[in-house]
mmCIF file of all heavy atoms in Angstrom:
data_model
loop_
_atom_site.group_PDB
_atom_site.id
_atom_site.type_symbol
_atom_site.label_atom_id
_atom_site.label_comp_id
_atom_site.label_asym_id
_atom_site.label_seq_id
_atom_site.Cartn_x
_atom_site.Cartn_y
_atom_site.Cartn_z
ATOM 1 N N VAL A 11 138.291 45.966 53.697
ATOM 2 C CA VAL A 11 138.453 44.855 52.742
ATOM 3 C C VAL A 11 139.734 45.029 51.937
ATOM 4 O O VAL A 11 140.470 44.080 51.694
ATOM 5 C CB VAL A 11 137.221 44.770 51.821
ATOM 6 C CG1 VAL A 11 137.463 43.798 50.683
ATOM 7 C CG2 VAL A 11 136.000 44.352 52.615
ATOM 8 N N ILE A 12 140.025 46.270 51.536
ATOM 9 C CA ILE A 12 141.254 46.532 50.779
ATOM 10 C C ILE A 12 142.482 46.222 51.626
ATOM 11 O O ILE A 12 143.444 45.611 51.158
ATOM 12 C CB ILE A 12 141.270 47.992 50.284
ATOM 13 C CG1 ILE A 12 140.191 48.185 49.213
ATOM 14 C CG2 ILE A 12 142.634 48.369 49.738
ATOM 15 C CD1 ILE A 12 139.975 49.617 48.814
ATOM 16 N N ARG A 13 142.457 46.637 52.890
ATOM 17 C CA ARG A 13 143.591 46.336 53.785
ATOM 18 C C ARG A 13 143.743 44.836 53.983
ATOM 19 O O ARG A 13 144.863 44.311 54.001
ATOM 20 C CB ARG A 13 143.390 47.027 55.140
ATOM 21 C CG ARG A 13 143.663 48.513 55.128
ATOM 22 C CD ARG A 13 143.841 49.050 56.540
ATOM 23 N NE ARG A 13 142.708 48.730 57.392
ATOM 24 C CZ ARG A 13 141.632 49.490 57.539
ATOM 25 N NH1 ARG A 13 141.527 50.623 56.868
ATOM 26 N NH2 ARG A 13 140.655 49.134 58.350
ATOM 27 N N LEU A 14 142.626 44.138 54.124
ATOM 28 C CA LEU A 14 142.660 42.685 54.313
ATOM 29 C C LEU A 14 143.269 41.995 53.097
ATOM 30 O O LEU A 14 144.141 41.131 53.227
ATOM 31 C CB LEU A 14 141.237 42.178 54.558
ATOM 32 C CG LEU A 14 141.083 40.687 54.821
ATOM 33 C CD1 LEU A 14 141.642 40.340 56.186
ATOM 34 C CD2 LEU A 14 139.623 40.296 54.747
ATOM 35 N N ARG A 15 142.820 42.385 51.907
ATOM 36 C CA ARG A 15 143.353 41.775 50.692
ATOM 37 C C ARG A 15 144.828 42.095 50.507
ATOM 38 O O ARG A 15 145.607 41.232 50.106
ATOM 39 C CB ARG A 15 142.573 42.253 49.480
ATOM 40 C CG ARG A 15 141.138 41.781 49.451
ATOM 41 C CD ARG A 15 140.449 42.140 48.174
ATOM 42 N NE ARG A 15 140.978 41.331 47.091
ATOM 43 C CZ ARG A 15 140.572 41.420 45.837
ATOM 44 N NH1 ARG A 15 139.656 42.291 45.515
ATOM 45 N NH2 ARG A 15 141.090 40.648 44.902
ATOM 46 N N SER A 16 145.226 43.330 50.796
ATOM 47 C CA SER A 16 146.636 43.717 50.651
ATOM 48 C C SER A 16 147.517 42.911 51.594
ATOM 49 O O SER A 16 148.567 42.398 51.191
ATOM 50 C CB SER A 16 146.802 45.211 50.926
ATOM 51 O OG SER A 16 146.023 45.972 50.034
ATOM 52 N N ALA A 17 147.080 42.786 52.851
ATOM 53 C CA ALA A 17 147.852 41.991 53.812
ATOM 54 C C ALA A 17 147.921 40.536 53.382
ATOM 55 O O ALA A 17 148.976 39.890 53.474
ATOM 56 C CB ALA A 17 147.232 42.111 55.205
ATOM 57 N N GLY A 18 146.795 40.011 52.874
ATOM 58 C CA GLY A 18 146.791 38.627 52.410
ATOM 59 C C GLY A 18 147.739 38.401 51.250
ATOM 60 O O GLY A 18 148.459 37.394 51.209
ATOM 61 N N LEU A 19 147.759 39.317 50.294
ATOM 62 C CA LEU A 19 148.654 39.172 49.141
ATOM 63 C C LEU A 19 150.114 39.240 49.553
ATOM 64 O O LEU A 19 150.946 38.459 49.086
ATOM 65 C CB LEU A 19 148.344 40.255 48.106
ATOM 66 C CG LEU A 19 147.076 40.040 47.276
ATOM 67 C CD1 LEU A 19 146.753 41.283 46.457
ATOM 68 C CD2 LEU A 19 147.234 38.829 46.368
ATOM 69 N N ILE A 20 150.441 40.179 50.441
ATOM 70 C CA ILE A 20 151.834 40.318 50.886
ATOM 71 C C ILE A 20 152.279 39.058 51.621
ATOM 72 O O ILE A 20 153.370 38.513 51.365
ATOM 73 C CB ILE A 20 151.986 41.566 51.773
ATOM 74 C CG1 ILE A 20 151.805 42.831 50.928
ATOM 75 C CG2 ILE A 20 153.339 41.582 52.474
ATOM 76 C CD1 ILE A 20 151.665 44.099 51.735
ATOM 77 N N LEU A 21 151.438 38.573 52.551
ATOM 78 C CA LEU A 21 151.794 37.359 53.301
ATOM 79 C C LEU A 21 151.847 36.141 52.384
ATOM 80 O O LEU A 21 152.689 35.255 52.573
ATOM 81 C CB LEU A 21 150.785 37.136 54.422
ATOM 82 C CG LEU A 21 150.826 38.154 55.569
ATOM 83 C CD1 LEU A 21 149.671 37.932 56.529
ATOM 84 C CD2 LEU A 21 152.156 38.072 56.311
ATOM 85 N N LEU A 22 150.962 36.093 51.388
ATOM 86 C CA LEU A 22 150.968 34.959 50.447
ATOM 87 C C LEU A 22 152.261 34.920 49.644
ATOM 88 O O LEU A 22 152.888 33.864 49.497
ATOM 89 C CB LEU A 22 149.755 35.079 49.519
ATOM 90 C CG LEU A 22 149.601 33.999 48.452
ATOM 91 C CD1 LEU A 22 149.415 32.632 49.080
ATOM 92 C CD2 LEU A 22 148.428 34.333 47.540
#
Side-chain angles (χ1 to χ4, degrees):
V11 170
I12 291 171
R13 284 196 305 270
L14 182 71
R15 293 186 71 180
S16 301
L19 285 171
I20 291 169
L21 291 173
L22 179 62

